[in-house]
Amino acid sequence: MERLSMCGLLIALLPTVCSDLLQSNNMLFQLNWPGNLPVNPSSDNSVVMRTADNERYECILPQDRLQHDSDVVNYPGPSPKSIIEAVFKKKICTVRIETYWSYELCHGRHIRQYHEEKLTGKETKLQEFSLGTSVEYPTGEQYKLQEMDTITVSEGQDIHDLKAPTTLLEGKEVPFFELIMTDGSTCDLKSGEPRKTHVLYICEETGRNEIYSLKETSSCEYEAIVLSPVLCTHPLYKVKDTPVSNINCYALDGAPRIPVSYDKLIANPQKKQYSAGKTKPPKTPTKGQTSSSTTKGAAPPPKPSIPSLDTEQLVKDFLSGDHCLHGGQGWWKYEFCYGKFAQQYHQDKNGRTEVVLGTWNKEEHIEWWTRNSKNVGSRSVTHFYAHGDICDITGKPREVQVRLKCSENMQPHAVSIYLIEPSTCEYILGVESPIICELLETADEHGLLHPKIQE
């Protein structure tokens, strides 16, 4: 039998009963059709349902809590903390390389982000920030397992009373061991407070204590996930398979053993799998393959419609600073208003935090352009914005170079924005969009744009 998400399948076959089952969408269910209802059903947790073909079935549903972790556990030690600290003694370091920044974690010693830039000759310019140099351990009831040496769980005792905290990773909840690396580089956005990183170690049999991911969760506070095989030696940190429970549906009033609609469902492989609240999208064909829904000689599927916009008016509004561009992912988002300012901001329920990276002044841009012998590139041009908010570390105003880049491989009015910080409080804001392409042709000797727009 196919293992299907219970609500998704019952929505397809028996749509009247799923609203109160959605909380079980993290479980898997195996649907069985035993035939006629036994004289004495084994469970009173049942519901009678009718299909679209007017077939009636009584389905015995699993209990709310489908799988209790009541296995007997007799773990003699060591504690999870001792397991992780054994990694520290090996003086292992791991590096994760991303587009601009690289991250180095030396377990139990330090974590940093850095960027190396090749200069003329053999010189290398290094920019780095410490994200933590001292180890602290979180406190609280949910972390008490981290310190425990021996664990004994008797038969019948619910192990849910003793469990590690979990995080969602690739759609699964996985237990983790947490430590906090503190005393990193000072953060000018938080009045000189040191940066810190929450390091989550998770069990991965094939892992090599490497960084799986690293992200900034709030200003100058980070989260790193580390794949560690040593944690798998502890029974309560192993990643468990998704539990599977049975749903037995019995035919009533002469209904066929298996509903007609179910027979049609399993006959089409593309319609077999369902999930609660959403259907599984078709797979994207790999290079050299064609989609199974497209036959030779058939007309190609229609392209998604793009809202019609007045490009000339859009460009006019952009150049006047009335149409600002927004982008960015993660904690900080970015806003660029041409000829006015560039800033980063964070919006939450407590309001909006803004940091001005730079403001526009034509004369200062021309002076910067001339001093640095800048030229208009074939695909991009850079503008200089100064006099941003004061940087707590340097005591000087922030400044940003805005790189306007032509990107033709995007939707006509799409935009991509990213920010890097080559030096403390000195930024480069990348703005890529098809809108930039025609504008570059109008750039003068100072990189200023002068398109001819009809009024």
Side-chain angles (χ1 to χ4, degrees), residues 169-313:
L169 189 66
E170 296 183 357
K172 296 185 68 174
E173 285 195 359
V174 297
F176 64 83
F177 177 96
E178 180 177 349
L179 59 84
I180 307 170
M181 300 294 292
T182 60
D183 298 327
S185 300
T186 56
C187 176
D188 68 289
L189 296 176
K190 298 180 74 172
S191 302
E193 290 184 21
R195 288 170 165 83
K196 65 179 178 180
T197 302
H198 296 258
V199 184
L200 311 185
Y201 288 86
I202 67 170
C203 159
E204 173 54 55
E205 298 282 359
T206 61
R208 288 184 280 185
N209 295 299
E210 73 269 27
I211 301 173
Y212 173 83
S213 65
L214 194 149
K215 62 182 179 180
E216 187 175 10
T217 56
S218 62
S219 294
C220 300
E221 191 164 336
Y222 308 84
E223 179 187 273
I225 294 179
V226 176
L227 306 180
S228 178
V230 300
L231 200 56
C232 300
T233 60
H234 197 290
L236 299 186
Y237 284 91
K238 290 184 176 180
V239 180
K240 296 183 179 180
D241 294 331
T242 303
V244 179
S245 291
N246 291 316
I247 301 177
N248 293 325
C249 290
Y250 298 92
L252 300 176
D253 303 332
R257 185 175 68 88
I258 300 177
V260 174
S261 54
Y262 182 77
D263 270 340
K264 294 178 181 178
L265 180 69
I266 62 175
N268 187 344
Q270 292 187 344
K271 295 183 180 179
K272 278 187 180 181
Q273 298 222 356
Y274 288 81
S275 60
K278 60 181 181 180
T279 57
K280 187 175 181 180
K283 292 182 178 180
T284 302
T286 58
K287 187 176 182 181
Q289 295 179 326
T290 57
S291 171
S292 59
S293 62
T294 304
T295 58
K296 186 176 181 180
K303 294 182 179 180
S305 60
I306 300 173
S308 176
L309 294 175
D310 186 343
T311 301
E312 194 168 273
Q313 182 62 44

Side-chain angles (χ1 to χ4, degrees), residues 52-345:
D53 298 310
N54 208 30
E55 305 154 326
R56 295 180 70 245
Y57 295 86
E58 182 169 348
C59 293
I60 310 299
L61 304 179
Q63 299 297 322
D64 291 339
R65 199 165 177 177
L66 297 174
Q67 177 172 314
H68 290 272
D69 293 321
S70 56
D71 299 331
V72 174
V73 175
N74 186 10
Y75 177 70
S79 69
K81 180 179 177 181
S82 297
I83 293 174
I84 295 299
E85 288 183 341
V87 178
F88 300 170
K89 296 176 182 178
K90 297 179 180 179
K91 297 184 178 180
I92 299 173
C93 295
T94 178
V95 175
R96 178 178 176 83
I97 300 174
E98 297 189 355
T99 305
Y100 185 84
W101 290 108
S102 296
Y103 300 93
E104 179 187 61
L105 170 62
C106 292
H107 298 281
R109 290 184 288 161
H110 72 256
I111 182 169
R112 67 180 182 123
Q113 68 177 44
Y114 63 94
H115 174 72
E116 292 182 334
E117 183 176 350
K118 296 286 186 180
L119 301 179
T120 56
K122 296 183 179 180
E123 293 184 20
T124 300
K125 179 181 179 182
L126 176 66
Q127 179 197 5
E128 69 174 316
F129 294 97
S130 170
L131 306 185
T133 57
S134 302
V135 175
E136 294 182 1
Y137 294 96
T139 58
E141 186 69 18
Q142 63 174 328
Y143 298 106
K144 67 178 183 180
L145 177 62
Q146 297 191 171
E147 304 276 351
M148 297 182 65
D149 288 312
T150 60
I151 298 174
T152 301
V153 178
S154 305
E155 187 174 357
Q157 181 180 352
D158 193 349
I159 206 170
H160 279 83
D161 296 334
L162 184 64
K163 60 179 294 189
T166 60
T167 186
L168 194 64
L169 189 66
E170 296 183 357
K172 296 185 68 174
E173 285 195 359
V174 297
F176 64 83
F177 177 96
E178 180 177 349
L179 59 84
I180 307 170
M181 300 294 292
T182 60
D183 298 327
S185 300
T186 56
C187 176
D188 68 289
L189 296 176
K190 298 180 74 172
S191 302
E193 290 184 21
R195 288 170 165 83
K196 65 179 178 180
T197 302
H198 296 258
V199 184
L200 311 185
Y201 288 86
I202 67 170
C203 159
E204 173 54 55
E205 298 282 359
T206 61
R208 288 184 280 185
N209 295 299
E210 73 269 27
I211 301 173
Y212 173 83
S213 65
L214 194 149
K215 62 182 179 180
E216 187 175 10
T217 56
S218 62
S219 294
C220 300
E221 191 164 336
Y222 308 84
E223 179 187 273
I225 294 179
V226 176
L227 306 180
S228 178
V230 300
L231 200 56
C232 300
T233 60
H234 197 290
L236 299 186
Y237 284 91
K238 290 184 176 180
V239 180
K240 296 183 179 180
D241 294 331
T242 303
V244 179
S245 291
N246 291 316
I247 301 177
N248 293 325
C249 290
Y250 298 92
L252 300 176
D253 303 332
R257 185 175 68 88
I258 300 177
V260 174
S261 54
Y262 182 77
D263 270 340
K264 294 178 181 178
L265 180 69
I266 62 175
N268 187 344
Q270 292 187 344
K271 295 183 180 179
K272 278 187 180 181
Q273 298 222 356
Y274 288 81
S275 60
K278 60 181 181 180
T279 57
K280 187 175 181 180
K283 292 182 178 180
T284 302
T286 58
K287 187 176 182 181
Q289 295 179 326
T290 57
S291 171
S292 59
S293 62
T294 304
T295 58
K296 186 176 181 180
K303 294 182 179 180
S305 60
I306 300 173
S308 176
L309 294 175
D310 186 343
T311 301
E312 194 168 273
Q313 182 62 44
L314 180 65
V315 171
K316 180 181 177 181
D317 291 342
F318 169 70
L319 293 175
S320 67
D322 294 332
H323 178 76
C324 298
L325 304 180
H326 295 258
Q329 297 179 345
W331 177 261
W332 288 111
K333 302 296 187 296
Y334 310 111
E335 180 181 23
F336 172 60
C337 298
Y338 181 87
K340 291 186 177 180
F341 62 84
Q343 68 178 8
Q344 63 182 22
Y345 64 92

